[in-house]
Amino acid sequence: MSASIGFVGLGTMGLPMASNLARAGFAVKGFDLSASATEALVEAGGTSAASAAEAARDAGFVITMLPTAKHIEAALFNAGGIAETIAQDAIFINMSTILPEETDRIASALGERNIAMIDAPVGRSAIEAARGALLILASGAPEAMKRAQSVFDVMGNQTIDCGALGNGSRVKVINNFMGVSLNALTAEALTLAEASGLDIRLALEVMRGTIAGIGHMRVTYPNKVLKGDLIAGFPVDLAHKDLGLALQLAAQVNVPIYMGSAAAQTYSIVRASGRGRQDYTAVYPVLRELAGLPEEIPY
Amino acid sequence: MSASIGFVGLGTMGLPMASNLARAGFAVKGFDLSASATEALVEAGGTSAASAAEAARDAGFVITMLPTAKHIEAALFNAGGIAETIAQDAIFINMSTILPEETDRIASALGERNIAMIDAPVGRSAIEAARGALLILASGAPEAMKRAQSVFDVMGNQTIDCGALGNGSRVKVINNFMGVSLNALTAEALTLAEASGLDIRLALEVMRGTIAGIGHMRVTYPNKVLKGDLIAGFPVDLAHKDLGLALQLAAQVNVPIYMGSAAAQTYSIVRASGRGRQDYTAVYPVLRELAGLPEEIPY
Amino acid sequence: MSASIGFVGLGTMGLPMASNLARAGFAVKGFDLSASATEALVEAGGTSAASAAEAARDAGFVITMLPTAKHIEAALFNAGGIAETIAQDAIFINMSTILPEETDRIASALGERNIAMIDAPVGRSAIEAARGALLILASGAPEAMKRAQSVFDVMGNQTIDCGALGNGSRVKVINNFMGVSLNALTAEALTLAEASGLDIRLALEVMRGTIAGIGHMRVTYPNKVLKGDLIAGFPVDLAHKDLGLALQLAAQVNVPIYMGSAAAQTYSIVRASGRGRQDYTAVYPVLRELAGLPEEIPY
Amino acid sequence: MSASIGFVGLGTMGLPMASNLARAGFAVKGFDLSASATEALVEAGGTSAASAAEAARDAGFVITMLPTAKHIEAALFNAGGIAETIAQDAIFINMSTILPEETDRIASALGERNIAMIDAPVGRSAIEAARGALLILASGAPEAMKRAQSVFDVMGNQTIDCGALGNGSRVKVINNFMGVSLNALTAEALTLAEASGLDIRLALEVMRGTIAGIGHMRVTYPNKVLKGDLIAGFPVDLAHKDLGLALQLAAQVNVPIYMGSAAAQTYSIVRASGRGRQDYTAVYPVLRELAGLPEEIPY
Ligand SMILES: NC(=O)c1ccc[n+]([C@@H]2O[C@H](COP(=O)([O-])OP(=O)(O)OC[C@H]3O[C@@H](n4cnc5c(N)ncnc54)[C@H](O)[C@@H]3O)[C@@H](O)[C@H]2O)c1
Ligand SMILES: NC(=O)c1ccc[n+]([C@@H]2O[C@H](COP(=O)([O-])OP(=O)(O)OC[C@H]3O[C@@H](n4cnc5c(N)ncnc54)[C@H](O)[C@@H]3O)[C@@H](O)[C@H]2O)c1
Ligand SMILES: NC(=O)c1ccc[n+]([C@@H]2O[C@H](COP(=O)([O-])OP(=O)(O)OC[C@H]3O[C@@H](n4cnc5c(N)ncnc54)[C@H](O)[C@@H]3O)[C@@H](O)[C@H]2O)c1
Ligand SMILES: NC(=O)c1ccc[n+]([C@@H]2O[C@H](COP(=O)([O-])OP(=O)(O)OC[C@H]3O[C@@H](n4cnc5c(N)ncnc54)[C@H](O)[C@@H]3O)[C@@H](O)[C@H]2O)c1
């Protein structure tokens, strides 16, 4: 197997990733619909391909970093696509963010042609892509993963083995769900602080020292609900009461807190289920139940 | 002024707080509607009062730790209430969680009687109350705050001076808004992880290392939007796309993500306002604008 | 008992209501904090009182039409308030929109003084108030209601007897919850129509002929879920699918559909509970269950 | 052109639709992946085809009634698909509910082969499908629509010409968005009524006579906001206040009102924009603005 790499999709993320690979000594053949993107790779030491098929020819790894699954399927299976030339012993690595079911669909189309796939979306942003410091959420067959590790080590500074193919996409979607939603919730809290007459620096100072800023994943969840302890540190009834105060305050100062108002309704469900005196992390088993998951938390 | 303390409301929080004060050498006279609560204080070294008025007589500080503003107003102004006996040079300290406007209403009723008030709700929970390790969010006149500090030092291990009276309540409501809502959002993310076939330990491991688990208050906000930099680290358009993937995934596995689905709508507004290529922290200035706040972020 | 009426609160609604009573021959003594409001009543044939107590003196009925419960309690119990003068055989009628618990609180305070109360909030708007065509949602003791009917008949053209005191407030809050929320949902639908390239007149024409415009209260609910029939006319699974299409469409054209996106999550819960093939009105028993209500729908 | 019809997708909707066409004298050749479905059509007087291609051969109209766009594209373009046999002068009619962009994608793929398409999703349910009483939301070239009318007249009792191709899908998605979301809102209102102690028959009786049950599309919108009149019939400030009462009531009785709580936030935005004293239908221009639509309502 050659150590050459075909790289399709040289945009905000793909260009710095491919450039780092070229600088690290890999023979990188790049393709992008935009000619200027391909040229920029050449300047970084790569070579330019006239099509995705051309980029994939004779490569040991073929990487895609494209907007959506639709673009990946086009780059793979349209005329002039990767599937026309990719070698039997090459590994196809998708690093774009797509749905698990789309990952499965692509993997199974490739599987029919006996081509191995790794699903390896990335965390962090273009800045870390440029610094070779991405978080790589890789999933696939262990053998393929082992072979790809030297490639990942150039693009990222942390690779998490997420297990069976598709889990990289799963964890990526969940992670971004949380980080992106949390951003909107943070904006609600700070806007409410300011509109209610508070100095937002004070609000930030206080919240950085409490669960509000520290989050639940490191302390409350592992210490309470995840180990099955729902004895109230802070009870659901008071959490519900406090959200009620926040809703009234927000209404007085006309701050839209859509996320907080939804959270308040969820606590109403938790109370209605008879868990008012349990710890407020009891919101988690209740939500699991609403989703039809089995009672036991798999932790 | 005597160093004796009248303490009204000896429940989950009040009892350990008052007990710590008694153990630290303050003369604590306690009152609660429940006789057993008052007795427990006596065991910890306090004395028992037959009414709120009795507890307040001759005290240098009168503290309330009651469920809601309605209870505080009853304990203050009903027959047998604090207002009947509280000394002119005493300081009334409310440590219950109530609305800023309720704090103002109570302070102004006391002001008519020339009685100083401190608004000092607390962060953390009964466990920290027992350990004397509460976070005290105090606001009021500097002179009164100075006098109360030795009392706060017994109940908490950190006092934040929140400025003018009412700001303690403000920051407390905001802080709990954030911590309590974040709990519900965390439950959505973990439920979605599990329902989509992921090991929640993997999900937690990944998120603990990214913004999803670290939050926005320490890094993204100070580095980007709060210093006026909206050049995309991670652009709104991709944040919007990724929430779209999460919504589709959640629908497939029947996980209700009310908060996340609301967040997705907020990003639609951000995009519609022409900010799709800005950093995703641009959600904050957009929300401020929706709330009618001036353009400049006061940071 | 005299047929004279004390009327407190002569604003947007109160003035036309009181004026109609005066024109109909009742001796109406009005009071409002705004002198110009009281003067306007005099022009309509009423007389002016210098205080709420003055308005209430010797009246057979004392009516309040004030913004909130706080205002009503002030008008009743503050110095110069109604409670100082209202006769033992008079009936106090609150027609403002307030919470059931506030109604109960006021009624019980009046009850201690042996004064009967009717809770009679109104539907419709100032235009109907002027025309004497309000919808009156009256509740209270049958005897009092009977006596008040001639007064209601002047202000409204429809009185619904809502039963025990407090039910008027209950049904008023529910009714406005629905009408006011529905307005926001309607705005979401029409905005989505226009943004996706549709003529809103066409959208309106279509929806006026379907459940979208006709609503569920007259047809689907009585024909299906309320009589216990959940055999799918339109199944939950398709309703869920169709909301998914709407969410994707809205995301493409950047229309915030907060209400619709919340509805989609609720259908996910319904599906997760195993009701995917039932009629989509099964959302109702599921929501009842989340609120902890007993299984049987009381219809 | 022959009056024979190829019908692909004989499920809950497709089977009664195709059966009605057969009974009305059309030569209907049906295909479904499920053999029993095809047999049922034969019993109704149609004939059975072994593939979608077979059903489409020599037909004047080829109709699809399949779950999603993915199924339609498979039935059209996979091996044995409609595209292999459909005649140049035939009309392809999709009656399934799909996205406008999916309709466009299919139409353009057919357009490359010079085959005309009509987009004609249907309103109502399987009951009306059996009675030939569907609402047909047809869009496409006028000439094709004219030819298809006799076919529509068998399946439905009302055809609305929605204009250019894709508008049928648009209006269908919007219509179902509204009807399906409204169902969930109705469930919130009735659950809140019951949990707060009200007889739901009373609640229904009242709401059927007000905007809550009648909706905004026939009265408030045409009379107020759509003709540019925002003088308050019922002002935004009171609508906002009343939703606040409903939120408090719901919190007291633990009823989750996710949709209503979102609506409340939207009214906060309307107030923050300075429109508190306008009519509550002002929520519509505000939402249009959030979505980036031009100021003028195209009505
Ligand atoms: N930008 C980030 O911060 C970030 C972070 C993590 C993950 N991601 C994910 O990475 C992926 C790429 O994001 P990006 O920001 O680099 O996008 P981008 O839009 O900047 O780049 C995409 C590139 O793909 C090219 N392209 C599209 N179709 C093509 C085809 N058929 N053949 C060849 N080239 C084609 C485009 O010309 C463009 O240069 C997305 O899935 C995104 O969600 C991005
Ligand atoms: N529990 C927590 O984790 C926590 C954390 C931070 C803040 N708080 C806030 O602290 C306050 C108290 O909470 P708690 O958990 O101790 O509540 P609690 O219900 O356990 O205790 C309240 C006590 O007040 C007494 N009481 C009520 N009315 C009274 C009256 N008129 N006179 C005398 N006693 C009266 C009750 O008998 C009860 O013992 C609340 O505002 C809460 O929001 C609680
Ligand atoms: N406006 C509507 O379309 C409408 C429809 C149905 C129900 N309602 C309800 O009717 C009530 C009144 O609404 P409105 O629109 O007439 O309000 P408004 O603000 O126009 O009028 C209230 C009046 O009360 C007076 N007032 C306040 N406190 C007073 C006091 N202590 N003593 C005497 N006068 C006092 C004010 O000066 C004002 O004139 C509210 O509860 C509202 O929710 C209004
Ligand atoms: N059921 C309703 O009340 C209703 C109302 C209005 C609109 N619709 C829409 O109508 C469409 C059909 O709904 P339905 O309820 O009849 O669905 P259904 O699932 O009952 O029927 C779909 C049929 O398509 C068949 N099928 C799937 N793929 C096929 C293929 N490639 N070739 C041939 N047959 C194939 C299936 O075997 C099945 O019999 C959907 O888009 C739905 O949204 C349904």
Side-chain angles (χ1 to χ4, degrees):
Chain A
M1 185 210 67
S2 93
S4 78
I5 295 171
F7 206 112
V8 179
L10 301 165
T12 309
M13 295 295 285
L15 180 61
M17 291 162 74
S19 300
N20 282 336
L21 288 169
R23 282 188 212 104
F26 286 95
V28 181
K29 251 188 299 174
F31 174 67
D32 193 290
L33 292 182
S34 139
S36 67
T38 318
E39 278 158 35
L41 173 64
V42 172
E43 272 169 49
T47 60
S48 145
S51 67
E54 211 46 58
R57 192 186 305 276
D58 300 325
F61 303 95
V62 182
I63 298 175
T64 45
M65 195 58 178
L66 295 161
T68 72
K70 207 169 59 183
H71 300 87
I72 301 166
E73 287 176 324
L76 275 167
F77 302 119
N78 279 5
I82 295 165
E84 293 180 358
T85 55
I86 188 169
Q88 283 293 329
D89 60 354
I91 298 175
F92 174 74
I93 308 175
N94 174 51
M95 304 189 77
S96 332
T97 306
I98 61 175
L99 281 176
E101 61 155 2
E102 293 167 340
T103 297
D104 290 347
R105 193 169 69 211
I106 293 168
S108 104
L110 288 172
E112 285 172 18
R113 299 159 193 243
N114 273 312
I115 293 164
M117 171 167 173
I118 289 176
D119 160 46
V122 302
R124 304 178 190 145
S125 73
I127 295 160
E128 287 81 13
R131 294 213 321 264
L134 291 171
L135 168 64
I136 298 178
L137 303 167
S139 66
E143 160 63 12
M145 300 269 279
K146 199 179 266 171
R147 269 170 59 198
Q149 191 59 50
S150 61
V151 175
F152 292 153
D153 286 345
V154 171
M155 294 183 284
N157 60 6
Q158 189 185 4
T159 302
I160 297 185
D161 183 339
C162 299
L165 193 126
N167 282 343
S169 293
R170 275 184 188 84
V171 83
K172 169 69 185 167
V173 170
I174 303 302
N175 180 71
N176 280 24
F177 168 75
M178 185 71 198
V180 168
S181 296
L182 182 49
N183 181 18
L185 181 62
T186 305
E188 289 188 359
L190 288 181
T191 302
L192 182 54
E194 181 181 349
S196 67
L198 210 63
D199 185 329
I200 60 169
R201 283 163 306 188
L202 174 65
L204 281 167
E205 182 197 341
V206 169
M207 290 194 279
R208 279 181 193 135
T210 72
I211 284 300
I214 293 167
H216 291 271
M217 291 183 190
R218 257 170 270 247
V219 187
T220 32
Y221 272 53
N223 287 352
K224 303 292 301 181
V225 65
L226 287 174
K227 62 175 206 199
D229 173 6
L230 288 172
I231 294 164
F234 185 61
V236 165
D237 283 343
L238 283 183
H240 185 255
K241 169 202 154 185
D242 287 353
L243 279 186
L245 295 179
L247 278 171
Q248 282 187 259
L249 183 59
Q252 282 162 16
V253 295
N254 296 326
V255 173
I257 50 166
Y258 290 99
M259 294 181 71
S261 80
Q265 311 314 309
T266 301
Y267 282 95
S268 282
I269 294 177
V270 180
R271 273 165 62 96
S273 77
R275 292 171 178 267
R277 286 158 177 243
Q278 291 187 351
D279 190 66
Y280 73 146
T281 54
V283 69
Y284 175 41
V286 169
L287 212 64
R288 291 181 69 259
E289 201 184 311
L290 295 185
L293 294 175
E295 207 178 314
E296 188 85 15
I297 297 178
Y299 185 75
Chain B
M1 185 211 64
S2 93
S4 78
I5 295 171
F7 205 111
V8 179
L10 301 165
T12 309
M13 296 295 286
L15 181 61
M17 291 161 72
S19 301
N20 282 337
L21 288 168
R23 282 188 212 105
F26 286 96
V28 181
K29 252 188 299 175
F31 174 66
D32 193 290
L33 292 183
S34 142
S36 67
T38 319
E39 278 158 33
L41 175 64
V42 172
E43 272 169 50
T47 59
S48 147
S51 68
E54 213 44 63
R57 192 185 305 277
D58 300 326
F61 302 95
V62 181
I63 298 175
T64 45
M65 195 58 178
L66 295 162
T68 71
K70 208 170 58 183
H71 300 88
I72 300 167
E73 287 175 324
L76 276 167
F77 302 119
N78 279 5
I82 295 165
E84 292 179 0
T85 55
I86 189 169
Q88 283 292 329
D89 61 353
I91 298 175
F92 173 74
I93 308 176
N94 174 50
M95 305 189 77
S96 332
T97 306
I98 62 174
L99 280 177
E101 62 154 1
E102 294 168 338
T103 297
D104 290 348
R105 194 169 68 212
I106 293 168
S108 105
L110 288 172
E112 285 172 19
R113 299 157 194 246
N114 272 314
I115 293 164
M117 172 167 173
I118 289 176
D119 160 45
V122 303
R124 300 173 194 152
S125 73
I127 295 160
E128 286 82 12
R131 293 212 323 262
L134 291 171
L135 167 65
I136 298 178
L137 303 167
S139 67
E143 161 62 13
M145 299 269 279
K146 201 180 265 170
R147 269 170 58 197
Q149 190 61 49
S150 61
V151 176
F152 292 153
D153 286 344
V154 172
M155 294 183 283
N157 60 5
Q158 189 185 3
T159 303
I160 297 184
D161 182 340
C162 300
L165 193 125
N167 281 344
S169 292
R170 275 184 188 84
V171 82
K172 170 68 186 169
V173 170
I174 304 301
N175 180 71
N176 281 24
F177 168 76
M178 185 70 198
V180 168
S181 296
L182 182 49
N183 181 17
L185 181 62
T186 305
E188 289 188 358
L190 287 181
T191 303
L192 181 54
E194 182 181 348
S196 68
L198 209 64
D199 185 329
I200 61 169
R201 284 164 303 188
L202 174 66
L204 281 166
E205 180 196 341
V206 168
M207 290 194 279
R208 279 180 193 136
T210 72
I211 284 299
I214 293 166
H216 291 271
M217 290 182 190
R218 258 170 267 249
V219 187
T220 32
Y221 272 53
N223 286 352
K224 304 292 299 182
V225 65
L226 288 174
K227 61 174 209 201
D229 173 6
L230 288 172
I231 294 164
F234 185 62
V236 166
D237 283 344
L238 283 183
H240 185 255
K241 170 203 153 183
D242 286 353
L243 279 186
L245 295 179
L247 278 170
Q248 282 187 258
L249 184 59
Q252 282 162 16
V253 294
N254 296 325
V255 174
I257 50 167
Y258 290 99
M259 296 181 71
S261 81
Q265 311 314 310
T266 301
Y267 282 95
S268 282
I269 294 177
V270 180
R271 274 164 61 95
S273 76
R275 292 170 178 267
R277 285 159 179 240
Q278 290 188 350
D279 190 65
Y280 74 144
T281 55
V283 71
Y284 176 40
V286 169
L287 212 64
R288 291 180 69 259
E289 200 185 313
L290 295 185
L293 294 175
E295 206 179 314
E296 188 85 15
I297 297 178
Y299 185 78
Chain C
M1 184 210 65
S2 93
S4 78
I5 295 171
F7 205 111
V8 180
L10 301 165
T12 309
M13 296 294 287
L15 181 61
M17 290 160 73
S19 300
N20 282 337
L21 288 169
R23 283 189 212 105
F26 286 96
V28 182
K29 253 189 296 175
F31 174 65
D32 193 290
L33 293 182
S34 142
S36 66
T38 319
E39 278 158 35
L41 174 64
V42 173
E43 272 169 49
T47 60
S48 147
S51 68
E54 213 43 63
R57 192 184 305 277
D58 299 326
F61 303 95
V62 181
I63 298 175
T64 45
M65 194 59 177
L66 295 162
T68 71
K70 209 170 56 184
H71 299 88
I72 300 166
E73 287 175 326
L76 275 167
F77 303 119
N78 280 5
I82 295 164
E84 292 179 359
T85 54
I86 188 168
Q88 283 292 330
D89 61 352
I91 298 174
F92 174 74
I93 308 175
N94 174 50
M95 305 188 77
S96 332
T97 306
I98 62 174
L99 281 177
E101 61 155 0
E102 294 167 339
T103 297
D104 290 347
R105 194 169 68 212
I106 293 168
S108 104
L110 287 173
E112 285 172 19
R113 299 158 194 246
N114 273 314
I115 292 163
M117 172 167 173
I118 290 176
D119 160 47
V122 302
R124 300 172 194 151
S125 73
I127 295 160
E128 287 82 12
R131 294 211 322 262
L134 291 170
L135 168 64
I136 298 179
L137 302 167
S139 66
E143 160 63 11
M145 299 269 279
K146 201 180 264 170
R147 269 170 58 199
Q149 190 60 50
S150 62
V151 176
F152 292 153
D153 287 344
V154 172
M155 294 183 284
N157 61 6
Q158 189 186 3
T159 302
I160 297 184
D161 182 339
C162 299
L165 193 124
N167 282 344
S169 292
R170 274 184 189 85
V171 82
K172 171 68 186 168
V173 170
I174 303 301
N175 180 71
N176 280 24
F177 168 76
M178 185 72 198
V180 168
S181 296
L182 183 49
N183 182 16
L185 181 61
T186 305
E188 289 188 358
L190 287 181
T191 303
L192 181 54
E194 182 181 348
S196 67
L198 209 64
D199 185 329
I200 61 169
R201 284 164 303 189
L202 173 65
L204 281 167
E205 181 198 340
V206 169
M207 290 193 281
R208 279 181 194 137
T210 72
I211 284 299
I214 292 166
H216 291 271
M217 291 183 189
R218 256 170 268 249
V219 186
T220 31
Y221 271 53
N223 286 351
K224 302 292 300 182
V225 65
L226 288 174
K227 61 174 208 200
D229 173 6
L230 288 172
I231 294 164
F234 185 62
V236 166
D237 283 343
L238 283 183
H240 185 256
K241 170 202 153 184
D242 286 352
L243 278 185
L245 295 179
L247 278 169
Q248 283 188 258
L249 183 59
Q252 282 161 17
V253 294
N254 296 326
V255 173
I257 50 167
Y258 290 99
M259 295 182 71
S261 80
Q265 311 313 309
T266 301
Y267 282 95
S268 282
I269 295 176
V270 180
R271 273 165 61 96
S273 77
R275 292 171 178 267
R277 286 160 178 240
Q278 290 187 351
D279 190 66
Y280 74 145
T281 54
V283 71
Y284 176 41
V286 169
L287 212 65
R288 291 181 69 259
E289 200 185 313
L290 294 185
L293 294 175
E295 205 179 316
E296 188 85 14
I297 298 177
Y299 186 76
Chain D
M1 186 211 66
S2 95
S4 78
I5 295 172
F7 205 110
V8 179
L10 301 165
T12 309
M13 296 296 285
L15 180 61
M17 291 161 74
S19 299
N20 282 337
L21 289 169
R23 281 187 213 106
F26 286 95
V28 181
K29 251 188 298 175
F31 175 66
D32 193 289
L33 291 182
S34 140
S36 67
T38 318
E39 279 157 34
L41 174 64
V42 172
E43 273 169 48
T47 60
S48 146
S51 67
E54 212 46 60
R57 192 186 304 278
D58 300 325
F61 303 96
V62 181
I63 298 175
T64 47
M65 195 58 178
L66 295 161
T68 71
K70 207 170 59 183
H71 300 87
I72 301 167
E73 287 176 324
L76 275 167
F77 303 118
N78 279 5
I82 295 165
E84 292 180 358
T85 55
I86 189 169
Q88 283 293 330
D89 61 353
I91 298 175
F92 175 74
I93 308 175
N94 174 50
M95 304 189 77
S96 332
T97 307
I98 61 174
L99 282 176
E101 61 156 1
E102 294 167 339
T103 297
D104 289 347
R105 193 169 69 211
I106 293 168
S108 104
L110 288 172
E112 286 172 18
R113 300 159 193 244
N114 272 312
I115 292 164
M117 172 168 173
I118 289 177
D119 160 46
V122 302
R124 303 175 191 148
S125 73
I127 295 159
E128 287 81 13
R131 294 213 320 263
L134 292 170
L135 168 64
I136 298 178
L137 303 167
S139 66
E143 159 64 10
M145 299 269 278
K146 199 179 267 171
R147 269 169 58 197
Q149 191 59 51
S150 62
V151 175
F152 292 153
D153 286 344
V154 171
M155 294 183 284
N157 61 5
Q158 189 186 2
T159 303
I160 297 185
D161 182 339
C162 300
L165 193 126
N167 282 344
S169 292
R170 275 184 188 84
V171 83
K172 170 68 186 168
V173 170
I174 303 302
N175 179 72
N176 280 24
F177 168 76
M178 185 71 197
V180 168
S181 296
L182 182 50
N183 181 17
L185 181 63
T186 304
E188 289 188 358
L190 287 181
T191 302
L192 181 54
E194 182 181 348
S196 67
L198 209 64
D199 185 329
I200 61 169
R201 284 163 303 188
L202 174 65
L204 282 167
E205 181 197 341
V206 169
M207 290 193 279
R208 280 181 193 135
T210 72
I211 284 300
I214 292 167
H216 292 272
M217 290 182 189
R218 257 170 268 249
V219 187
T220 32
Y221 272 53
N223 287 352
K224 304 291 300 181
V225 64
L226 288 174
K227 60 174 208 199
D229 172 6
L230 288 172
I231 294 163
F234 185 61
V236 166
D237 283 343
L238 283 184
H240 185 255
K241 170 202 153 184
D242 287 353
L243 279 186
L245 295 179
L247 278 170
Q248 283 187 258
L249 184 59
Q252 282 162 17
V253 295
N254 295 326
V255 174
I257 50 165
Y258 290 99
M259 295 181 71
S261 79
Q265 311 314 310
T266 301
Y267 282 95
S268 282
I269 295 176
V270 179
R271 273 165 61 95
S273 77
R275 292 172 178 266
R277 287 159 177 241
Q278 290 188 351
D279 190 66
Y280 74 145
T281 53
V283 70
Y284 176 41
V286 170
L287 212 65
R288 291 180 70 258
E289 202 184 310
L290 295 184
L293 294 176
E295 207 178 314
E296 188 85 16
I297 297 177
Y299 186 77

